[in-house]
Amino acid sequence: MKVILLQDDKKLGKKGAIVEVSEGFARNCILPKKIGVEATPKNLNDLKLQKANDEKRAKEILEAAQALGKELESKTVVVKIKAGEGGKTFGSVSTKEIASALKEQYNIDIDKKKILLEDHLRAFGSVEVPVKLHPQVTAKLTVKVAEA
């Protein structure tokens, strides 16, 4: 019996896969636990439409991330920190401060976890910081650390 999986299963496969199982296993385990449904022509058509919809949604998300990436690359975020003796920085700039400055200055809301900063910024000047907007899109944001 052919079954369309409704959720991932370690032994059977990924969600949306069409697998061949024995009728007893399907009737007694897969169908009652709602792990899968029988592969009827109607269910196969529904699966095809759902996959097309998922691909369309993924493409829209990718295009939005690319547009946001282009917008970010043209922006410069100014973050001000206190200066100690001799013009040295007093403290450092973290991803949280960069994200809040971006929200404040340009009204662009980005999660601080998407800003890929290897270490906190501890010097004055401009630095290009990578921002991972999508698994396929990484933009460079220019961050200028200035004296408060």
Side-chain angles (χ1 to χ4, degrees), residues 1-3 5 12 19-27 30:
M1 170 182 250
K2 288 193 176 188
V3 176
L5 297 178
L12 297 174
V19 293
E20 183 77 34
V21 294
S22 67
E23 281 196 37
F25 183 61
R27 203 176 302 119
I30 294 176

Side-chain angles (χ1 to χ4, degrees), residues 3 26-27 52 71 80 131:
V3 176
R27 203 176 302 119
E71 184 180 349
K80 295 185 178 184
V131 180

Side-chain angles (χ1 to χ4, degrees), residues 41-139:
K42 180 198 176 298
N43 288 341
L44 289 170
N45 191 32
D46 289 346
L47 176 67
K48 181 180 170 185
L49 292 173
Q50 184 179 1
K51 282 187 178 181
N53 190 25
D54 290 345
E55 287 176 11
K56 181 182 174 188
R57 189 178 307 123
K59 184 178 177 185
E60 289 173 356
I61 291 171
L62 176 63
E63 289 173 354
Q66 288 172 338
L68 182 60
K70 287 180 182 178
E71 184 180 349
L72 281 180
E73 289 186 355
S74 67
K75 307 281 186 201
T76 300
V77 177
V78 179
V79 180
K80 295 185 178 184
I81 59 173
K82 294 180 183 177
E85 292 181 24
K88 292 187 178 182
T89 59
F90 187 74
S92 62
V93 177
S94 66
T95 56
K96 181 179 179 182
E97 292 162 336
I98 294 171
S100 64
L102 189 62
K103 174 77 172 162
E104 187 178 296
Q105 293 171 21
Y106 297 108
N107 202 22
I108 298 174
D109 196 16
I110 291 185
D111 187 17
K112 68 178 183 176
K113 295 174 188 166
K114 293 184 178 189
I115 300 172
L116 305 175
L117 194 60
E118 289 183 23
D119 198 19
H120 298 295
L121 301 176
R122 292 185 169 89
F124 294 115
S126 293
V127 179
E128 282 196 350
V129 178
V131 180
K132 190 165 183 114
L133 301 170
H134 187 271
Q136 299 171 357
V137 179
T138 302

